[in-house]
Amino acid sequence: MTEAGSATVESLSGDRPSRRPLEIFAAIFVAAGSIYFFHLGTDSLGASEAYSAWAAAKPGVGAIVRTPVLHDPGKQVFYYVVLHYYTRILGLSEISLRSMSAIFSLATLMLVFALGCEMFDESTALAAAAMWAFNPLAVVFAHTARMYSMLIAIALAHLLTLLRVRSRPGIMGGIGCGILGAAMLYTHMAGLLILGAEAAILLRDLARGRRDSVAWMAIVLAIALFLPYLPVAIRQSQDLIYGHWLDYLGPPYNYPLAGKLAAGLVAAGVTSWLVFGRAVERDGNEPLRVLVAWIGLPALAFAVGSVILRPMFNPRYLSPGIAAAALLIAGSIGAWSTKWRNLLAAGFALACLIMLPFARTEPPPWRDLAGQVTAGGASEPVFFESGYVSNGNTADVSNGGFPFGYYSVPFNYYFKGANSRIAIPGFDAAAARMTIEERVSEAGGGWLVSWKDRDEVNSELPDANRFRVVETYRQPHLAIYRITPAVK
C-alpha cells in the first residue's frame, strides 16, 4: 500500500473510533463485576466494617455525624451517610454492606477507562483498566464495607472533571468538579493531599502562562464547602495524634534533626521540579507529569510526615493514587512501545487472576466467637478494653477513646444474647484485672477480647493460681481469651 493510501486509512479510522476497545472493556467490566460480587457474605465483618454497619444503622444524619466525632475519630461522614440510605433499602447484612463497595469499585473501573481516554487514547485506557480490574487491592476494596472504594471513585471522578475544565472551561463543569472535591474531603481526610497535588498541577500551568480560572474556582469551591466541617476535623486530628494509633499514627521515630531537614529538602526539591521543571512530553497537557504529581505528591507528604512528625504512611490512604498508577504505567510504556504495553497489561491481568485464590486472608472471628459465647451460657460476661487501640508503650496512657470497648461493636453485630458486655480500662491493667477476677468468679466463666499483644495483656489477666486462662484466638491487634475459675 502506498503512503498516501495508508494515511487515508489512518484518517478514516481516526474519524470513526474502533469499537474493539469498548467491546474488550465491556468484557473486562463484566468479569470484574463477577469477581467483585462473589461471596460478599461468606466471611464475617471485620471490626472496621462493623463500625460502618453501626454508623449506617443510626436513626438519622445527625447521629451519623456524631459517630466519628465521639467514637471513631478520623473517619469522615459522607460514606456513612450514603451507606445509611443504601442499607435502609437493602438491609444491614454482610452482602448489603459490602455490595455498595463493589458498586463503587465498578464505577472506579469505568473512571480509569474514561481517564485513559481523556489523557491518552482508547488503547491506553483499555490497558490501564485491564491492569486495575483484577488487581488484588481492587478486589479487597470491593469486598470491604469501608469508604475506600468510594474514595477512589470520587477522587478519580474529581480528577476527570478537573482535567476537562482545565482543557475545556465551563462554569457548570467547574461547579461539579468543586462538589466532587468536597465529597472527596468528606469521605476521607487524605483528600486534602490530593487537592494539594492538584493545586501544584494548576500552579505549573500558571507558571507556563495558562490561567485555568475555572479549575482554580473548583478547588476553592471544594475547600469552601468543607469549611463548615473543619472544626470537627481539627478535633479529630487532635484525637488521632494523641491517642488513636490503630490505623497509622504511632509514636514518633525521633529521627535526628538533620534527617528531618533532609527529608523536608528532598520533598521541596521534588515538588519544585514537578511544578517548575522543564517539560519533557510532546503533549502540552503533560498527562504523565500530571499523573506523577497526582500520585506522588500525596505519597511524598505521608512519607515526609512520617519522618518529621509521626508514622502515618498506609497504602489505604493512597488508594486513589494506586488506582491511577495503572494509567501512569500504561501511558509511560505506551509512549515507548504499544506492543509491550499491551503484553504487560494482558500478562499482569492474567497474573492477578491466578493470584486471587491465594490472596484470601483469614476471616475475622466474630461469628465463631458469638457461637462460642452462646454455648458457654448467658451468665458469662464478655470483657472489652476501652481506650484507643495503641501500640508499644502507649497502652497505659489514660484516655476516653472507645468507652464501650473497640471490639464490642463487631461482637454485637453477631451476638444478640443477654450476656453482660463489660468495658474495662485498657490503660489501667490493675483495675481491669480486678474487674475480670470479680465478675468471672461470680459467673463461673467469661471471655476477654483484647487489642493488646501478649506482653501487654499479661498484666491484666487474672491470677493463674486461681483462674484458668486459654488463648483461643490471636491475630495482630486482636486476641480472645476464655477465662474460668481454676478447679481445686
Side-chain angles (χ1 to χ4, degrees), residues 89 241 313 382:
I89 299 171
I241 292 172
F313 196 99
V382 186

Side-chain angles (χ1 to χ4, degrees), residues 51-52 55-56 58 60-70 72-85 100 146-147 150 154 182-189 225-226 228-230 232-233 236:
Y51 271 86
S52 296
K58 298 292 183 182
V61 174
I64 293 171
V65 170
R66 288 191 293 272
T67 298
V69 176
L70 298 175
D72 198 8
K75 305 302 186 294
Q76 302 307 99
V77 299
F78 188 51
Y79 170 78
Y80 291 150
V81 171
V82 175
L83 188 64
H84 168 75
Y85 289 104
M100 194 176 86
R146 295 300 286 158
M147 79 286 291
M150 172 186 274
I154 292 176
M184 178 175 64
L185 297 178
Y186 278 103
T187 303
H188 201 284
M189 288 289 287
L225 291 174
F226 186 67
Y229 195 77
L230 189 59
V232 173
Q236 289 181 343

Side-chain angles (χ1 to χ4, degrees), residues 12 22 27 150 153 188 225 270 272 295 308 331 387-388 431 472 480 482:
L12 289 173
L22 293 175
M150 172 186 274
H188 201 284
L225 291 174
V270 172
S272 297
I295 298 166
I308 296 176
Y388 290 115
T472 63
I480 299 172
R482 172 73 168 139

Side-chain angles (χ1 to χ4, degrees), residues 307-371:
V307 173
I308 296 176
L309 300 174
R310 293 170 179 268
M312 59 179 66
F313 196 99
N314 193 300
R316 292 195 302 271
Y317 307 122
L318 301 173
S319 52
I322 296 173
L327 289 161
L328 178 60
I329 295 170
S332 300
I333 298 178
W336 168 61
S337 169
T338 57
K339 175 183 177 181
W340 282 105
R341 178 201 63 200
N342 295 340
L343 287 173
L344 172 68
F348 185 79
L350 180 60
C352 288
L353 286 171
I354 293 172
M355 287 190 299
L356 281 179
F358 305 99
R360 190 170 181 269
T361 59
E362 182 180 353
W366 307 112
R367 190 182 290 145
D368 293 338
L369 177 61

Side-chain angles (χ1 to χ4, degrees), residues 118-121 166 204 208 210 279-290:
E118 179 73 21
M119 304 180 80
F120 303 104
D121 53 57
R166 176 176 174 243
R204 175 172 177 79
R208 301 178 70 201
R210 185 170 172 175
V280 296
E281 298 176 62
R282 294 180 180 178
D283 189 335
N285 288 321
E286 298 186 294
L288 294 178
R289 185 184 290 263
V290 166

Side-chain angles (χ1 to χ4, degrees), residues 19 42 172 194 199 270 279 298 320-321 400 418 452:
R19 293 179 57 186
T42 301
M172 295 307 297
I194 294 175
V270 172
K452 299 180 179 181

Side-chain angles (χ1 to χ4, degrees), residues 154-169:
I154 292 176
L156 293 183
H158 173 64
L159 175 62
L160 178 61
T161 55
L162 185 73
L163 293 176
R164 286 178 175 173
V165 299
R166 176 176 174 243
S167 59
R168 301 181 293 278

